[in-house]
Structures are given as C-alpha cells and as structure tokens.
Amino acid sequence: MRTKTAQWITRKRFSKILLIAALAFFASAGNTQATSAIYRLSSGDQIKVTVYGHEDLSGEFEVDSEGAIGLPLIDEVSAAGLTVEELEIAITNELKPDYLRNPNVTVEVLSYRPVFILGEVKAPGAYAFAKGMTVVNVVALAGGYTYRARTKAIVITRRDGEAKDEIEANADTVILPGDVIEVPERYF
C-alpha cells in the first residue's frame, strides 16, 4: 500500500514540476518574441556564424550595406530581410551540395543595429539597441525631453524590408533595432 501511495505522490510532484517548467518556458519565450521571432536582419547587424566542426568556416560578420555577408567558401549570402533561422537554412543549403555532407550551422546576433531618436530631445542621434528597450529608455539615453516636447504624439518609423510603418507610441512602447523615434514640438 505504501509503495502505490509513494508512486502516486512522486507522479503528482513530477506533474507539478513539468507544469512549472512548461509555464516558465512559455513565459520566457513570450519575453523574447519582440526581438527574436519577428526580428529580421539588416545592414549594420553584427552576427556570429558557427559551422560545427569547421572553425575555418565560422566567424563574426557584419551585414553590409547591400544586405549580405561574406563567408569562406561560399562567398556572399544575402542576409537582409531574413530571420536568424532563415539565414541558418540559407547557409546550410549553400554548404550542403558542394562542400559539406551534413553541415550544422547556427547564427547568433552579437549586436543589433542602432535605434535613432530625433526631434525634441536634448541629444538626438543614434543609440545602441538593447533587448527590452522602450521609448522612455531611448529618451533617457538622449538626455530627456526638451521643454517643447509633445510627449503624447511620439511616432516610431519602422522598416520591414521595403515597407515602412509609422506607429503612434507612448513611453512604454517597445523598440526594435533600426527604429526611428520622432518626438514632435508642441506649439503652445
């Protein structure tokens, strides 16, 4: 009788542990979605390409102004507009037929392209992107608002390939790499 009870308690604890682990996984996945799931590479991004077992093919690269990266053996690979996962597949496909039988490729973003802020802030310009950044973080980096800032009418310009979206923002709006934040002037 004790063994069945002990097994039932063990299963119950195991189920709780699995449930907690699953909840933690989905909670962390939700936090990274803003930069990893929808993030598309563009010029200025620094990436690290690792081809396992082939250090000579691995390295750190910058996406150039044409949107490509130059890799050993396969020369240029177009990276602009691709997610990290799509770039891994593209590099694998380039290596597979002629150079390696079963390449295992990973791509990691080392540093993202900067965000830009202009208008009624004390130090407009380009600032390094960090995950989880919001409008208020970038404003703080830019020295704060000027006395003429219209803080209720902030606009973010976000490019997705050739498309350009203008988003009405507030202080808590999440920023993505390459965003241009405009703080307009108030008139009275």
Side-chain angles (χ1 to χ4, degrees):
M1 202 64 142
R2 286 186 179 193
T3 57
K4 287 185 180 182
T5 305
Q7 288 176 348
W8 182 80
I9 291 172
T10 304
R11 282 190 206 141
K12 188 129 176 117
R13 284 183 186 163
F14 183 71
S15 297
K16 284 183 181 178
I17 291 170
L18 282 178
L19 179 63
I20 291 169
L23 289 173
F25 172 77
F26 288 116
S28 67
N31 292 338
T32 60
Q33 184 180 9
T35 53
S36 65
I38 60 169
Y39 184 69
R40 301 210 173 262
L41 297 168
S42 188
S43 61
D45 288 330
Q46 294 275 340
I47 62 172
K48 180 179 180 181
V49 176
T50 304
V51 182
Y52 289 103
H54 298 278
E55 291 181 23
D56 53 331
L57 301 178
S58 303
E60 296 179 5
F61 305 93
E62 181 175 348
V63 180
D64 66 17
S65 61
E66 300 294 318
I69 56 171
L71 296 171
L73 285 182
I74 57 176
D75 214 13
E76 284 195 351
V77 175
S78 180
L82 300 179
T83 64
V84 169
E85 293 81 11
E86 291 169 342
L87 182 58
E88 288 173 355
I89 292 168
I91 294 170
T92 300
N93 289 340
E94 289 290 323
L95 288 171
K96 207 175 216 177
D98 298 325
Y99 304 108
L100 300 173
R101 285 189 182 158
N102 193 14
N104 188 355
V105 177
T106 60
V107 175
E108 169 186 4
V109 179
L110 297 176
S111 66
Y112 297 93
R113 59 191 178 274
V115 295
F116 304 90
I117 187 164
L118 51 98
E120 294 302 318
V121 290
K122 293 181 181 170
Y127 293 92
F129 173 80
K131 287 184 180 182
M133 235 178 186
T134 61
V135 169
V136 75
N137 299 127
V138 181
V139 169
L141 289 172
Y145 297 112
T146 66
Y147 71 93
R148 294 184 306 262
R150 200 162 93 201
T151 60
K152 304 277 188 222
I154 297 171
V155 175
I156 297 173
T157 303
R158 183 171 292 160
R159 292 192 180 274
D160 186 13
E162 295 296 318
K164 181 172 91 171
D165 293 327
E166 288 191 357
I167 303 162
E168 291 182 21
N170 61 40
D172 297 325
T173 303
V174 175
I175 301 298
L176 294 179
D179 281 356
V180 178
I181 304 163
E182 184 176 353
V183 181
E185 178 181 7
R186 64 183 165 90
Y187 297 110
F188 53 90

